[in-house]
Amino acid sequence: MNVERYCVSEKYTIKEVLEQFESYNNRVAIVTSSSNKVIGVVSQGDILRALSAGIGLYTPVNQVIRSSFLHLYKRDLAKAYPIFKKTLISLLPVINEDNELIDFITIGDIYEYLENGGK
């Protein structure tokens, strides 16, 4: 699981999240607490809206996250595919009942799933 690519700490600033997006060519990140609990997701769009509203680059990302987010409780590409198709997301957290991140599904995983005939 490539956590450093797709996850950011709630203590990151907006600037640090943007730098991570740039480094990994991402547009969305899963925001986690120090205890590895998923507290939300943040996208480039969320950040652009916040910056347009006057939020500064050094504002903690936890002030602009979406705390209501799509997720699954187990890695199931058959269940994930219709979510990706309907919502056009590119990253889906897989969490346990305590909101701890156990995995995630990327749009690349969905493409691979489809290329393998849905297996």
Side-chain angles (χ1 to χ4, degrees):
M1 189 165 68
N2 197 349
V3 173
E4 63 277 353
R5 178 176 184 159
Y6 295 107
C7 297
V8 297
S9 165
E10 66 182 325
K11 295 178 182 176
Y12 273 38
T13 64
I14 288 174
K15 183 178 187 307
E16 289 171 315
V17 174
L18 289 172
E19 289 169 351
Q20 181 164 330
F21 285 169
E22 182 68 24
S23 293
Y24 291 109
N25 198 28
N26 288 343
R27 295 182 324 229
V28 65
I30 300 166
V31 182
T32 58
S33 68
S34 57
S35 59
N36 197 40
K37 292 190 187 290
V38 178
I39 59 170
V41 296
V42 65
S43 69
Q44 281 181 339
D46 297 328
I47 290 174
L48 286 172
R49 283 186 290 282
L51 292 171
S52 294
I55 298 284
L57 281 174
Y58 295 97
T59 302
V61 72
N62 64 8
Q63 293 187 23
V64 299
I65 62 172
R66 285 178 277 148
S67 55
S68 175
F69 56 93
L70 296 169
H71 61 278
L72 290 177
Y73 289 107
K74 71 177 197 172
R75 184 179 178 85
D76 184 334
L77 296 175
K79 284 186 179 180
Y81 170 65
I83 296 169
F84 276 77
K85 183 178 178 183
K86 181 179 180 183
T87 62
L88 303 177
I89 60 173
S90 60
L91 183 65
L92 184 65
V94 179
I95 61 174
N96 65 19
E97 297 293 330
D98 293 323
N99 272 13
E100 295 168 329
L101 184 67
I102 54 174
D103 204 348
F104 48 80
I105 300 169
T106 67
I107 191 73
D109 295 329
I110 295 298
Y111 289 149
E112 188 174 313
Y113 167 77
L114 294 173
E115 289 168 357
N116 291 325
K119 297 178 184 174

Coordinates of all heavy atoms in Angstrom, one line a residue, residues 1 17 31 41 43 53 70 74 83 88 92 108 118:
M1 N 0.9 -1.2 0.0 CA 0.0 0.0 0.0 C 0.9 1.2 0.0 O 1.7 1.4 0.9 CB -0.9 -0.1 1.2 CG -2.0 1.0 1.2 SD -3.3 0.7 2.4 CE -2.5 0.9 4.0
V17 N 0.1 19.8 1.0 CA -0.8 18.9 0.2 C -0.6 19.2 -1.2 O -0.5 18.2 -2.0 CB -2.3 19.0 0.7 CG1 -3.2 18.2 -0.2 CG2 -2.5 18.6 2.1
V31 N -7.1 12.0 4.0 CA -6.5 12.7 5.2 C -6.7 11.8 6.4 O -7.8 11.4 6.7 CB -7.2 14.0 5.4 CG1 -6.6 14.8 6.6 CG2 -7.2 14.9 4.1
V41 N -11.3 13.3 3.0 CA -10.6 13.4 1.8 C -10.5 14.8 1.4 O -11.3 15.7 1.8 CB -11.2 12.5 0.7 CG1 -11.1 11.0 1.0 CG2 -12.6 13.0 0.3
S43 N -9.4 17.3 -2.2 CA -9.1 17.3 -3.7 C -8.5 18.6 -4.0 O -8.6 19.6 -3.3 CB -10.4 17.0 -4.5 OG -11.2 18.1 -4.4
A53 N -11.8 31.4 -1.5 CA -12.6 32.0 -0.5 C -11.7 32.8 0.5 O -12.2 33.3 1.5 CB -13.4 30.9 0.3
L70 N -17.0 8.8 0.5 CA -17.3 7.5 0.0 C -16.2 6.6 0.5 O -15.0 6.9 0.5 CB -17.4 7.5 -1.5 CG -18.5 8.3 -2.1 CD1 -18.3 8.4 -3.6 CD2 -19.9 7.7 -1.7
K74 N -14.2 -3.3 2.7 CA -13.2 -4.3 2.3 C -12.9 -4.0 0.8 O -13.7 -3.4 0.1 CB -13.7 -5.7 2.5 CG -14.9 -6.2 1.6 CD -15.2 -7.6 1.8 CE -16.0 -8.2 0.7 NZ -16.2 -9.6 0.7
I83 N -19.2 2.7 -8.1 CA -19.0 3.9 -7.4 C -18.1 4.8 -8.2 O -18.4 6.0 -8.4 CB -18.4 3.6 -6.0 CG1 -19.3 2.8 -5.2 CG2 -18.0 4.9 -5.3 CD1 -18.7 2.3 -3.9
L88 N -17.2 9.4 -10.7 CA -16.0 9.9 -11.3 C -14.9 10.2 -10.3 O -14.1 11.1 -10.6 CB -16.3 11.1 -12.2 CG -17.4 10.9 -13.3 CD1 -17.6 12.1 -14.1 CD2 -17.0 9.7 -14.2
L92 N -10.6 5.7 -3.6 CA -11.6 5.2 -2.7 C -11.0 4.6 -1.5 O -10.3 3.5 -1.6 CB -12.6 4.3 -3.4 CG -13.8 3.8 -2.6 CD1 -14.7 4.9 -2.3 CD2 -14.5 2.7 -3.4
G108 N -6.6 3.4 -11.3 CA -5.7 2.4 -11.9 C -6.1 1.0 -11.6 O -6.1 0.1 -12.5
G118 N -13.2 -8.0 -15.4 CA -14.0 -7.9 -14.1 C -13.6 -9.0 -13.1 O -14.4 -9.4 -12.3

